[in-house]
Amino acid sequence: MLEGCGSIFFIGIGGITMSSFAHISHIRGYRVGGSDRTETELTDRLAEYGIEIFYSHDASHIEGYDAVVYTVAVSPDNPEYKAALSRGIPCISRADFLGYLMTGYKRRVGVSGMHGKSTCTSMCAMAFVEAGGDPTVVSGAELSAMGGAYRIGGHDNFVFEACEYMDSFLDFNPTVAVVLNIEMDHVDYFSSMAQIRRSFSAYMTLTGQDGVAIINADDENVMLAAKFFGGRKVTFSTKDPSADYSAANIVFDMGRAEFDVVRSGAFAAHIKLSVPGAHNVYNALAAFAAACECGLDGERAAEGISRFAGAHRRMEYKGSFCGAAVYDDYGHHPTEVRATLRTMREVGTGRLFCVFQSHTYSRTARLFEDFAAALATADRTVVADIYAARETDTMGVSGERLAAETVKCGGNAVYGGSFEHIVEILRAELREGDTLVVMGAGDIYRIYPMIGLHE
């Protein structure tokens, strides 16, 4: 793919994954540059490594570069992308580039699913490191233990987050395919559950004749998708003791689970999670199964998972504002919103506030009622304007309408609109002992400096 190339330009270099690719390429000896719209901590870090960064998009930026890496979100009218095509410079999608990076590794563990990918990938990283697997890791979230969203390790184990959007994960080369869950999402690309199940089935098939799919036996759509996979299937469950890996004797303390892992009917290890949420039992089981299926010691893998203290923007504690404990979360699907609020209810003791910024008009419109019902579970919800991302407002939905629908569902919600107005609402209403969750996959994190906290 990069034969004869000595330099690579990344369009959208400030993204979590793209910044990881840029640094890995820099370490491997390529001259690296890239562009993005805004300066961030990630781009500043890349610049410190000597990587050339542009904070605009212009055709002149790609001069002297041998290849261009782009994301599926890049517009065909992007001047750098258009210039590369017109000049015959190889243009490589982010998914294809990740597929290239993992070639040469003996075992390639891809973590897929609509929810929990970054958390489970991070747990896998901790498990593999503790068990001596020395993994190379590419995740969608930063992990303090790795010092970022990636890790350069040996050449036996490659652990990566496999994103399903636009079927990107079908460009990968997993030998172990982890499937956490499947439901409707990315409605600007997927039109039906049948299409989504076909995509995940095709992803499992990529593992090849000697590969394995590690699948959630408690998720109906996962099991339906797995019916069309002819390779070896390994199941995990919190409900079915006949699964290959199951959780037994689950107890919770302040929302954090402790349980025994049963493998093929016999005790395998004990896990005491450092992160809250019943959903994290599934993430832990999947990570444990992945480590064991790659030949690593189960007890040591369990120790690594138990030490996992959370990934960036996944129920991450940020500090205090007006006496309330503030948590940051990436949740942008009704299932994730509901799970996060339920978990925060168990962790906190006072009133539960939620500031929510929905991500894309298409997702908001398709899952409108589900979003409202999930947000209604908070004691007080403040809804921001929708983050458009790659879309324009042609669907008749808005943050104001979502707040009104949340009230119809029995919630105590208000439309906050701008970040400045949201801060005014919070300052007027929060009090000592409350819990505040700031949630969304857009730029809602920009609110933190406005309340005296770091992004």
Side-chain angles (χ1 to χ4, degrees):
M1 181 181 290
L2 292 174
E3 185 176 357
C5 293
S7 57
I8 309 172
F9 188 90
F10 293 85
I11 303 175
I13 197 169
I16 284 286
T17 306
M18 292 289 265
S19 62
S20 302
F21 292 170
H23 192 200
I24 291 171
S25 301
H26 176 72
I27 291 173
R28 290 189 173 185
Y30 291 99
R31 173 181 166 239
V32 175
S35 61
D36 216 301
R37 291 178 297 177
T38 55
E39 182 178 358
T40 65
E41 184 178 333
L42 286 175
T43 58
D44 288 343
R45 192 183 308 164
L46 293 177
E48 290 175 3
Y49 299 141
I51 293 173
E52 185 177 36
I53 308 289
F54 299 96
Y55 294 107
S56 63
H57 296 291
D58 189 275
S60 63
H61 296 162
I62 66 167
E63 291 179 6
Y65 286 94
D66 302 322
V68 168
V69 178
Y70 65 96
T71 73
V72 292
V74 167
S75 167
D77 294 326
N78 178 281
E80 293 151 347
Y81 181 73
K82 286 176 64 177
L85 288 178
S86 66
R87 299 174 192 178
I89 297 174
C91 293
I92 305 162
S93 73
R94 178 176 65 178
D96 279 336
F97 192 77
L98 176 55
Y100 156 74
L101 283 180
M102 68 182 68
T103 57
Y105 289 83
K106 187 182 299 183
R107 291 173 289 272
R108 303 178 293 275
V109 181
V111 180
S112 72
M114 294 306 191
H115 323 294
K117 291 186 293 291
S118 297
T119 296
C120 186
T121 300
S122 297
M123 285 185 177
C124 282
M126 299 288 289
F128 276 66
V129 168
E130 180 63 32
D134 191 23
T136 292
V137 181
V138 175
S139 180
E142 295 185 76
L143 178 64
S144 296
M146 295 195 303
Y150 61 94
R151 178 185 190 273
I152 308 298
H155 292 282
D156 286 337
N157 300 303
F158 190 100
V159 178
F160 64 97
E161 181 173 331
C163 180
E164 70 284 346
Y165 181 59
M166 299 285 283
D167 281 335
S168 293
F169 60 178
L170 300 186
D171 291 324
F172 303 154
N173 303 290
T175 60
V176 177
V178 176
V179 184
L180 297 170
N181 42 65
I182 298 175
E183 63 177 315
M184 178 56 69
D185 199 1
H186 304 300
V187 296
D188 57 334
Y189 178 73
F190 292 118
S191 60
S192 67
M193 282 305 307
Q195 180 191 0
I196 294 174
R197 288 193 294 265
R198 285 194 299 270
S199 291
F200 275 89
S201 180
Y203 173 66
M204 296 181 217
T205 302
L206 294 175
T207 59
Q209 185 176 359
D210 299 323
V212 58
I214 298 175
I215 55 178
N216 183 353
D218 297 340
D219 189 296
E220 181 181 2
N221 283 313
V222 171
M223 298 306 287
L224 287 172
K227 284 185 177 181
F228 302 97
F229 170 61
R232 188 165 70 90
K233 303 168 191 174
V234 171
T235 57
F236 62 92
S237 171
T238 67
K239 302 174 182 177
D240 184 0
S242 68
D244 297 303
Y245 295 85
S246 62
N249 305 316
I250 306 174
V251 294
F252 287 90
D253 181 16
M254 293 294 291
R256 293 168 177 81
E258 185 174 354
F259 58 94
D260 295 327
V261 180
V262 178
R263 180 183 184 185
S264 301
F267 173 83
H270 185 77
I271 292 177
K272 184 176 182 179
L273 291 176
S274 301
V275 289
H279 57 285
N280 277 319
V281 178
Y282 284 101
N283 292 329
L285 279 175
F288 182 86
C292 291
E293 294 301 318
C294 287
L296 301 178
D297 180 78
E299 290 191 359
R300 292 180 63 189
E303 291 175 10
I305 294 169
S306 296
R307 282 209 298 272
F308 169 69
H312 181 56
R313 298 218 63 211
R314 273 64 179 178
M315 290 188 285
E316 179 185 15
Y317 177 70
K318 300 294 291 185
S320 178
F321 177 63
C322 294
V326 182
Y327 291 84
D328 182 33
D329 193 74
Y330 193 70
H332 55 284
H333 185 281
T335 298
E336 297 165 351
V337 172
R338 189 175 286 105
T340 295
L341 293 179
R342 182 175 59 243
T343 299
M344 288 295 100
R345 179 78 70 185
E346 296 170 353
V347 171
T349 55
R351 297 177 302 167
L352 178 59
F353 277 65
C354 174
V355 170
F356 180 70
Q357 180 192 51
S358 196
H359 187 272
T360 72
Y361 298 107
S362 58
R363 178 186 283 118
T364 309
R366 180 67 177 269
L367 306 174
F368 191 72
E369 291 80 10
D370 290 338
F371 270 121
L375 291 169
T377 63
D379 294 316
R380 180 64 159 162
T381 299
V382 184
V383 182
D385 287 321
I386 296 171
Y387 186 78
R390 52 194 172 267
E391 298 178 346
T392 55
D393 184 7
T394 60
M395 301 178 188
V397 292
S398 66
E400 188 172 11
R401 281 195 59 202
L402 182 56
E405 186 68 20
T406 302
V407 172
K408 288 182 182 179
C409 290
N412 179 12
V414 64
Y415 168 62
S418 69
F419 293 164
E420 289 79 9
H421 188 219
I422 289 172
V423 171
E424 290 178 8
I425 294 171
L426 295 176
R427 187 173 281 115
E429 297 189 15
L430 286 174
R431 61 174 182 251
E432 190 75 30
D434 290 339
T435 299
L436 169 63
V437 183
V438 179
M439 197 181 312
D443 63 351
I444 192 65
Y445 57 84
R446 288 171 46 208
I447 203 171
Y448 294 119
M450 300 169 68
I451 60 175
L453 300 176
H454 293 296
E455 290 186 7

